[in-house]
Amino acid sequence: MTPDEYCQQKAAASGSSFYYSFLFLPPPRRRAITALYAYCREVDDVVDEVSDPGVAQTKLAWWAAEVGQLFAGTPLHPVTRALQPHLQDYGITRERLLQVIEGMQMDLQQSRYLDFKALTRYCHLVAGVVGEMAAGIFGATDERTFEYARQLGLALQLTNIVRDVGEDARRGRVYLPIEDLRAHQVKVADVLASRYVAGFEQVMALQAQRARTAYRAALQALPPADRKSQRAGLIMGAIYMRLLEEIERENFKVLHQRISLTPLRKLAIAWRTWTFGPPAPLARA
């Protein structure tokens, strides 16, 4: 199996919405973004699948060293070997790859976030930075496009948080800001126990509105000259905004189930967005 085939298998097996945005890209850019996605999956899997925090820290340290190997020209892992040919062409930097690992280390060091400012920092490291690298791969020509990418990354990560509240709680993690929970008299223990208490829906609606606000900010920041090149990212945003609407229709009943879109629906959204552009973010009725 070649490094590119390894990354392709990693991306396809994840079932992620991101995979559908890659399908429309020309081969060189598709290989680059698939390798970047596989890198993010590898370091994220360390946090999600390794139960011993000490072992997880050791594995993340190995990945940080492997990033050093990558920029020294001697990568060992299939993912970094797949990334190597694309570093210069698409402006993938050591700093940004290490920032993604820094975000994963935050997951090992804390399982609560006091306020939205603290949560935003986490979202930037695990999603905004990835958005910046992705924008470069897709063909950004304007510095404003990177602000679009950061805002889009925030919107996508907040949507992930809304979708995965129950799943994260079963791992002992609560990404809903503590100050929001307190404001609506929801206890962390209620979230961990999957109890739909009064106030929970309001907390979730606030996070959904923040995601939608970030999505709007992303669309406003994207300069017209780069709209065509950034269609792959716009596909991700369109799929996630439709997912957010689906979660809202279910009144945020995410503690006991994972709400998702079917592959066929994701593909339809991807095709429409590639062809006609992104839909406007809708306010909840």
Side-chain angles (χ1 to χ4, degrees):
M1 182 184 295
T2 68
D4 284 333
E5 288 170 343
Y6 177 93
C7 294
Q8 175 68 25
Q9 187 177 84
K10 189 83 175 177
S14 73
S16 169
S17 301
F18 290 83
Y19 178 70
Y20 294 86
S21 69
F22 304 164
L23 299 176
F24 298 87
L25 291 168
R29 296 186 192 276
R30 186 167 66 242
R31 286 192 293 271
I33 192 63
T34 302
L36 176 62
Y37 177 77
Y39 168 80
C40 295
R41 282 258 43 96
E42 290 284 352
V43 295
D44 187 60
D45 287 348
V46 170
V47 176
D48 286 345
E49 297 177 3
V50 178
S51 57
D52 186 320
V55 173
Q57 284 283 14
T58 299
K59 286 180 174 288
L60 288 179
W62 183 90
W63 274 105
E66 178 64 2
V67 169
Q69 292 284 104
L70 169 61
F71 283 87
T74 55
L76 302 174
H77 196 278
V79 164
T80 43
R81 287 165 58 201
L83 269 174
Q84 187 178 21
H86 308 296
L87 299 179
Q88 186 171 355
D89 288 345
Y90 301 124
I92 300 170
T93 67
R94 180 201 307 253
E95 179 186 9
R96 283 172 173 157
L97 291 175
L98 290 176
Q99 282 180 314
V100 176
I101 294 176
E102 183 184 346
M104 301 306 162
Q105 289 171 329
M106 287 180 70
D107 272 327
L108 298 179
Q109 296 162 358
Q110 63 183 99
S111 58
R112 311 283 188 274
Y113 291 86
L114 179 61
D115 52 29
F116 184 59
K117 181 179 179 180
L119 183 63
T120 300
R121 169 63 179 165
Y122 168 77
C123 291
H124 174 68
L125 291 173
V126 300
V129 170
V130 178
E132 291 172 340
M133 290 189 283
I137 291 171
F138 297 152
T141 63
D142 189 310
E143 191 61 31
R144 291 174 295 172
T145 301
F146 294 100
E147 174 59 23
Y148 143 82
R150 288 187 285 271
Q151 290 292 334
L152 182 61
L154 175 60
L156 300 182
Q157 189 61 27
L158 289 173
T159 304
N160 274 339
I161 287 170
V162 168
R163 179 194 62 195
D164 295 340
V165 170
E167 201 171 289
D168 290 330
R170 286 185 282 279
R171 293 191 177 107
R173 298 182 197 151
V174 177
Y175 292 98
L176 302 174
I178 297 299
E179 69 173 12
D180 297 342
L181 294 173
R182 287 175 178 167
H184 294 279
Q185 299 182 335
V186 179
K187 297 178 181 178
V188 169
D190 293 324
V191 179
L192 294 174
S194 298
R195 287 192 291 262
Y196 293 103
V197 298
F200 176 76
E201 187 173 341
Q202 286 75 20
V203 172
M204 296 293 284
L206 174 58
Q207 313 316 313
Q209 188 55 47
R210 285 169 171 163
R212 194 169 276 112
T213 298
Y215 181 57
R216 287 196 189 96
L219 294 181
Q220 290 167 0
L222 181 60
D226 275 355
R227 287 184 73 85
K228 184 175 180 180
S229 71
Q230 298 301 313
R231 284 181 297 182
L234 293 171
I235 286 173
M236 298 181 210
I239 290 174
Y240 270 65
M241 288 304 104
R242 288 294 173 257
L243 171 61
L244 193 61
E245 290 168 19
E246 197 70 26
I247 293 170
E248 288 172 329
R249 286 192 195 99
E250 295 288 329
N251 296 315
F252 300 102
K253 293 295 190 284
V254 294
L255 290 175
H256 70 289
Q257 64 180 341
R258 181 186 174 95
I259 298 171
S260 61
L261 304 179
T262 66
L264 184 60
R265 191 172 178 194
K266 290 177 184 178
L267 188 59
I269 295 169
W271 179 83
R272 284 198 303 271
T273 304
W274 186 268
T275 306
F276 301 111
L282 301 175
R284 194 182 185 201

